[in-house]
């Protein structure tokens, strides 16, 4: 049994990394940053990274379409862009909201995107026609995140108004509201089966809600800082969380316990995501770094993981140099301490060399303007 291990360590952003997402083929990782760029990193050795230039202000969210042929980004410049993830860096512009756009998310079939904004609204768009469809407007403060359910019939949203809302996409009505929070809610997402949602709170909590019974299923208070992002493992058995306390944590949802605490980022961790297969996950933070981790922990339940870990920590022979560090207890509510992993201690080579970066999105006619294209005809037009 191997613990999560650091595979790659990408450096290229110049400011906080706000979002991470794997290409469905798991060959690329997209990241967004307050440095105004989004980047696509290739996992093939010696491959170059692509930096996409076009947003005028910080990029708050990035996501691959289910096909992997498009990438959507949201920005503080009030726009959403759809990019073709290749060297040309062509993009299509949505003048989406009247304030910062916090999140963008594709529906399961890739035909729609949902956006959330500081203008207190949620908007749904047709991707291929690039057309606004409708708004959802019952939140009373900034909307931090909006996500489609796996079947595309529901939308979950969270807000600085301290609520999580569930919306019916067909009739555009709010069908559930969860309000048991002591602060703003930073992130929300559906589990893979679409039966519950998990929320990340500025009150340091992670909560799982059953949307069929409208009740709280699990409540974790394992972080010592705001929880900024989370992601479900595709097995539905694990949840990974990112926090301003500088750690990433892995929760076993079947056992209802904290299993791993991962260190390495220098400062708040803002983003985390599993790959579609669940074999890898990525994290990004205010230190502008991107970590890609590999794990096979889903092959064992958490009791077996902890049993094997204790054998490694307290062997009959002297401790091995690669024993997990630090060994001091990590404060959290509930059961015994989690397994602590510090990748900078475990791995001598963290691949900190910056990969070669290619800037894309510039028009050959201008150094500052970006080619904006329609996704129907292959015809270029100016964004502004």
């Amino acid at each position: 049994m191997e613990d999560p291990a650091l595979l790659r360590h990408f450096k290229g952003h110049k400011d906080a990394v706000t979002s991470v997402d794997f290409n469905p083929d798991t060959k690329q990782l997209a990241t967004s940053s307050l440095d105004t760029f989004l980047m696509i990193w290739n996992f093939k050795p010696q491959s170059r990274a692509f930096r996409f230039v076009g947003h005028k202000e910080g990029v708050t969210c990035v996501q691959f379409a289910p096909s992997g042929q498009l990438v959507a980004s949201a920005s503080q410049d009030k726009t959403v862009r759809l990019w073709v993830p290749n060297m040309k860096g062509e993009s299509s512009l949505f003048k989406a909201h009247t304030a910062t756009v916090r999140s963008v998310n594709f529906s399961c079939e890739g035909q729609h995107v949902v956006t959330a904004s500081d203008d207190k609204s949620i908007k749904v768009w047709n991707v291929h026609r690039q057309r606004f469809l409708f708004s959802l407007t019952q939140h009373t403060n900034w909307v931090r995140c909006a996500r489609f359910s796996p079947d595309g019939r529901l939308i979950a949203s969270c807000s600085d108004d301290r609520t999580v809302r569930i919306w019916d996409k067909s009739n555009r009505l709010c069908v559930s509201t969860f309000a048991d929070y002591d602060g703003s809610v930073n992130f929300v997402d559906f589990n893979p089966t679409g039966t519950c949602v998990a929320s990340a709170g500025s009150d340091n909590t992670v909560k799982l809600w059953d949307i069929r019974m409208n009740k709280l299923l699990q409540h974790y208070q394992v972080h010592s800082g705001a929880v900024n992002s989370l992601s479900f493992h595709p097995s539905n058995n694990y949840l990974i969380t990112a926090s301003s306390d500088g750690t990433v944590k892995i929760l076993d949802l079947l056992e209802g316990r904290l299993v791993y605490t991962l260190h390495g980022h220098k400062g708040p961790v803002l983003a985390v995501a599993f790959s579609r297969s669940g074999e890898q996950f990525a994290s990004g933070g205010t230190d502008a770094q991107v970590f890609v981790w590999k794990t096979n922990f889903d092959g064992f339940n958490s009791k077996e993981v902890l049993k094997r870990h204790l054998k490694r920590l307290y062997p009959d022979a002297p401790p091995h140099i690669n024993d997990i560090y630090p060994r001091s207890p990590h404060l959290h509510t509930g059961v015994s301490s989690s397994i602590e992993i510090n990748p900078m201690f475990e791995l001598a080579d963290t691949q900190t060399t910056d990969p070669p970066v290619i800037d894309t999105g510039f028009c050959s006619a201008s150094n500052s303007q970006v080619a904006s294209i329609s996704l129907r005809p292959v015809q270029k037009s100016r964004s502004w």
Side-chain angles (χ1 to χ4, degrees):
M1 177 61 190
E2 295 179 4
D3 297 308
L6 187 64
L7 280 181
R8 303 294 298 269
H9 179 197
F10 293 125
K11 283 186 175 181
H13 284 297
K14 304 303 181 185
D15 205 337
V17 176
T18 55
S19 179
V20 295
D21 190 50
F22 286 87
N23 191 316
D25 66 11
T26 321
K27 294 180 180 179
Q28 295 176 314
L29 180 75
T31 60
S32 62
S33 171
L34 295 182
D35 63 9
T36 75
F37 306 126
L38 63 107
M39 296 189 70
I40 293 183
W41 312 86
N42 295 292
F43 291 129
K44 186 178 179 180
Q46 311 303 321
S47 293
R48 298 177 178 180
F50 298 120
R51 180 190 289 125
F52 290 84
V53 183
H55 284 294
K56 297 179 181 179
E57 298 182 46
V59 189
T60 55
C61 185
V62 64
Q63 191 186 39
F64 276 99
S67 67
Q69 301 303 307
L70 284 176
V71 174
S73 60
S75 172
Q76 294 173 335
D77 65 13
K78 309 175 188 177
T79 70
V80 168
R81 284 183 179 267
L82 297 177
W83 307 80
V84 180
N86 57 27
M87 285 184 62
K88 293 183 179 180
E90 297 170 324
S91 68
S92 177
L93 179 70
F94 288 73
K95 294 182 178 179
H97 289 270
T98 59
T100 293
V101 188
R102 293 285 176 181
S103 79
V104 60
N105 178 242
F106 281 97
S107 58
C108 56
E109 78 292 338
Q111 295 181 9
H112 300 99
V113 292
V114 60
T115 57
S117 170
D118 286 2
D119 65 12
K120 308 177 188 178
S121 74
I122 301 153
K123 293 185 178 182
V124 176
W125 309 78
N126 181 289
V127 172
H128 298 291
R129 295 182 180 179
Q130 301 177 53
R131 188 175 68 186
F132 166 73
L133 297 178
F134 61 88
S135 290
L136 305 171
T137 57
Q138 291 186 29
H139 281 295
T140 59
N141 208 328
W142 295 355
V143 188
R144 293 281 180 175
C145 181
R147 311 278 286 193
F148 282 109
S149 61
D151 61 10
R153 294 188 298 175
L154 300 174
I155 294 171
S157 63
C158 63
S159 168
D160 280 14
D161 65 11
R162 304 187 178 190
T163 67
V164 168
R165 291 180 180 268
I166 309 297
W167 310 81
D168 187 310
K169 179 172 169 280
S170 60
N171 61 27
R172 308 174 190 179
L173 294 177
C174 179
V175 294
S176 298
T177 302
F178 304 116
D180 186 22
Y181 296 93
D182 294 327
S184 60
V185 191
N186 296 325
F187 196 90
V188 67
D189 199 8
F190 288 89
N191 69 336
T193 58
T195 58
C196 74
V197 295
S199 63
S202 62
D203 59 0
N204 308 355
T205 65
V206 175
K207 295 182 178 181
L208 272 70
W209 301 90
D210 187 320
I211 63 173
R212 299 164 299 180
M213 305 294 291
N214 287 339
K215 72 173 187 177
L216 182 65
L217 289 177
Q218 294 181 347
H219 177 192
Y220 296 91
Q221 195 146 8
V222 294
H223 284 289
S224 60
V227 187
N228 300 310
S229 180
L230 51 78
S231 179
F232 281 96
H233 189 272
S235 70
N236 215 22
N237 297 338
Y238 292 86
L239 187 73
I240 190 166
T241 60
S243 171
S244 293
D245 65 13
T247 68
V248 171
K249 293 181 184 283
I250 297 172
L251 307 174
D252 183 330
L253 302 180
L254 296 181
E255 295 284 339
R257 66 188 299 169
L258 171 65
V259 184
Y260 289 106
T261 297
L262 309 179
H263 303 265
H265 284 285
K266 299 175 182 177
V269 189
L270 302 182
V272 70
F274 275 110
S275 64
R276 304 302 193 272
S277 67
E279 295 177 357
Q280 298 177 0
F281 58 92
S283 60
T286 58
D287 57 5
Q289 298 185 93
V290 178
F291 293 162
V292 180
W293 308 75
K294 180 177 174 58
T295 180
N296 62 350
F297 62 79
D298 194 43
F300 294 82
N301 62 38
S302 62
K303 289 182 179 178
E304 183 69 16
V305 171
L306 290 169
K307 179 180 177 182
R308 289 166 180 256
H309 176 62
L310 288 173
K311 285 184 177 180
R312 189 170 56 239
L313 282 184
Y314 305 107
D316 294 334
H320 191 274
I321 190 170
N322 283 331
D323 280 350
I324 295 173
Y325 172 88
R327 299 181 187 178
S328 58
H330 186 80
L331 294 176
H332 61 276
T333 60
V335 294
S336 60
S337 303
S338 66
I339 299 173
E340 306 266 348
I341 296 178
N342 188 329
M344 298 311 177
F345 180 87
E346 289 185 319
L347 299 179
D349 180 11
T350 55
Q351 302 186 24
T352 55
T353 303
D354 292 353
V357 175
I358 299 175
D359 283 334
T360 69
F362 286 101
C363 260
S364 57
S366 170
N367 289 331
S368 60
Q369 292 185 321
V370 177
S372 178
I373 65 164
S374 168
L375 299 179
R376 290 173 292 169
V378 184
Q379 179 180 0
K380 294 185 179 179
S381 62
R382 295 291 183 185
S383 300
W384 58 86

